[in-house]
Amino acid sequence: MNQQQHPQPQQPDYGQPQQPGYGEPQQPGSNGLATTALVLGIIAVVVSFVPVLNVVVWPLAILGIIFGAIGLSKAGKVRKGKGAGITGLVTSAIAIIMFFAMNALFFSAVDKVSAEVDKSYDSATVGDGKSKTGGAKESEVMKDFKVTKCDVVTGDFDIKEMAIHVDYANNGDRRYSYFVEGEVLADGKKVDDFMSTAENLAPGQKFTDKNAGALVNADEIKDAKKLECKTIKASRTDF
């Protein structure tokens, strides 16, 4: 009688690791450059909305484009990071576009504000009778001030000084600040300039500026036979 043979149980092999079968998909690798490009691109877009300060967009966006391109090329090998690489490229490019757009809008707004401020100035050029900025007429500004003294005087310690006094009187219906520029003529020849200011005068208020001659060198005109202080430009600003 034949004896039935039983198969011997196989012992597990603990010494050799299990190898994946042929054709089994590999796990995707890492793609840190693509992720970095994505983060840089997002930060660059956010910063691009802040005019002037958004100059930092340039290094962020440039690095985002470089890392995004490298990460995108690497994505085909590691099978990971394609979406992040593309997004990093796109957001970096958008950030550069927004940089130009926001700064253009900002400086355009600044120009408009400056133009509005300029309209509040009443300026006149003295001598040719023409308004310099299209503001107040010459007579409207000139009636509020007058050069009352133009001479060389002896100050402390017998030092010769140029004395130019300008009297102001606000004849308007609001507060004004004044700025006057002029020339000092000695025997008909210009030798120097002078400036005078009066700040925030109320309607009807008077003021005398006794320091207008501070910029003039008295030594150049002390021997002149005739001195003249000629107003060249006058302006006033309302509040």
Side-chain angles (χ1 to χ4, degrees):
M1 185 174 182
N2 295 330
Q3 293 183 353
Q4 188 176 3
Q5 296 181 354
H6 297 281
Q8 295 295 326
Q10 296 181 355
Q11 297 295 327
D13 186 1
Y14 295 102
Q16 297 182 354
Q18 297 292 327
Q19 298 293 334
Y22 180 77
E24 183 179 346
Q26 299 178 355
Q27 294 297 324
S30 62
N31 196 342
L33 290 177
T35 304
T36 303
L38 173 61
V39 173
L40 290 174
I42 293 174
I43 295 175
V45 169
V46 173
V47 177
S48 67
F49 285 91
V50 184
V52 181
L53 296 180
N54 59 6
V55 67
V56 298
V57 161
W58 285 101
L60 293 174
I62 291 174
L63 289 176
I65 292 174
I66 294 174
F67 290 163
I70 297 175
L72 191 60
S73 64
K74 185 179 177 182
K77 299 177 181 179
V78 300
R79 298 187 300 111
K80 186 177 181 180
K82 181 178 180 180
I86 294 175
T87 306
L89 288 171
V90 173
T91 52
S92 297
I94 291 175
I96 293 176
I97 296 174
M98 291 302 300
F99 167 84
F100 288 107
M102 294 304 299
N103 283 334
L105 291 174
F106 174 75
F107 288 111
S108 176
V110 170
D111 290 340
K112 290 181 180 180
V113 172
S114 299
E116 292 298 326
V117 172
D118 290 341
K119 290 180 181 179
S120 67
Y121 284 83
D122 294 328
S123 301
T125 298
V126 182
D128 57 7
K130 296 180 180 179
S131 175
K132 182 177 180 62
T133 62
K137 295 179 180 179
E138 178 183 335
S139 58
E140 294 179 5
V141 181
M142 293 297 296
K143 68 182 180 181
D144 286 359
F145 77 93
K146 183 180 180 180
V147 178
T148 56
K149 188 171 185 176
C150 179
D151 200 359
V152 176
V153 298
T154 302
D156 297 336
F157 306 105
D158 293 329
I159 297 176
K160 297 295 183 178
E161 299 176 351
M162 182 68 196
I164 301 176
H165 294 180
V166 181
D167 290 347
Y168 295 89
N170 185 355
N171 297 298
D173 58 355
R174 67 190 72 179
R175 287 183 174 273
Y176 283 109
S177 287
Y178 297 85
F179 179 70
V180 176
E181 297 178 71
E183 297 176 347
V184 178
L185 305 178
D187 297 330
K189 180 180 179 181
K190 176 185 174 181
V191 293
D192 223 323
D193 299 306
F194 74 88
M195 292 185 297
S196 175
T197 59
E199 300 292 335
N200 197 18
L201 299 185
Q205 183 178 355
K206 297 181 179 181
F207 171 75
T208 298
D209 178 17
K210 298 181 179 181
N211 297 316
L215 300 179
V216 181
N217 186 354
D219 292 336
E220 297 182 3
I221 54 179
K222 63 181 180 180
D223 298 327
K225 297 180 180 179
K226 180 181 179 182
L227 291 178
E228 182 182 1
C229 294
K230 180 181 179 182
T231 302
I232 300 301
K233 181 181 178 182
S235 63
R236 68 184 184 185
T237 309
D238 62 350
F239 290 85

